[in-house]
Amino acid sequence: MRVNLKILGLPTLTRVTGKKELDLNFEGKTVNDLIGYVVQHYGRQAEEALLDEEGQLDVTIQVLLNGREWIPHDRLDTALKDGDSVALMLMVAGG
């Protein structure tokens, strides 16, 4: 499956991948599979940038599917389709 991955506000991950946007071909089916692929393909630094101590997606990272659907952490099993766009972005708060 081909998926476009956008990395926003995650400088460590961008440094590891070398880009802020990647066209990836992977054999997974879900958002969680995509995250696992990125961690496996890009190694320890990607793991540290994305996952918490329990190996789950860090709570500070938000997932946006096709520019319009926020994927909550309890729905990372959401199915992806060929050609989907997934954005991983650091949640920023402030005032």
Side-chain angles (χ1 to χ4, degrees):
M1 165 181 337
R2 185 186 66 73
V3 173
N4 177 264
L5 176 65
K6 297 177 182 179
I7 304 166
L8 306 169
L10 296 163
T12 301
L13 187 58
T14 301
R15 200 168 32 255
V16 171
T17 63
K19 299 179 184 178
K20 290 184 179 182
E21 191 167 336
L22 305 165
D23 284 314
L24 301 175
N25 287 307
F26 77 108
E27 295 187 19
K29 297 178 182 175
T30 67
V31 172
N32 209 34
D33 292 341
L34 176 63
I35 293 164
Y37 172 84
V38 170
V39 167
Q40 181 180 1
H41 190 75
Y42 291 100
R44 181 95 173 129
Q45 289 180 315
E47 179 180 352
E48 291 173 355
L50 291 174
L51 305 181
D52 64 17
E53 293 171 357
E54 285 81 39
Q56 303 298 313
L57 184 64
D58 193 285
V59 296
T60 63
I61 298 175
Q62 300 301 305
V63 180
L64 183 63
L65 179 60
N66 294 321
R68 62 183 178 274
E69 181 183 354
W70 292 102
I71 306 297
H73 285 224
D74 63 350
R75 287 194 42 236
L76 294 177
D77 61 347
T78 296
L80 296 173
K81 298 182 303 277
D82 191 53
D84 275 347
S85 176
V86 176
L88 298 177
M89 60 188 78
L90 186 63
M91 180 174 58
V92 179

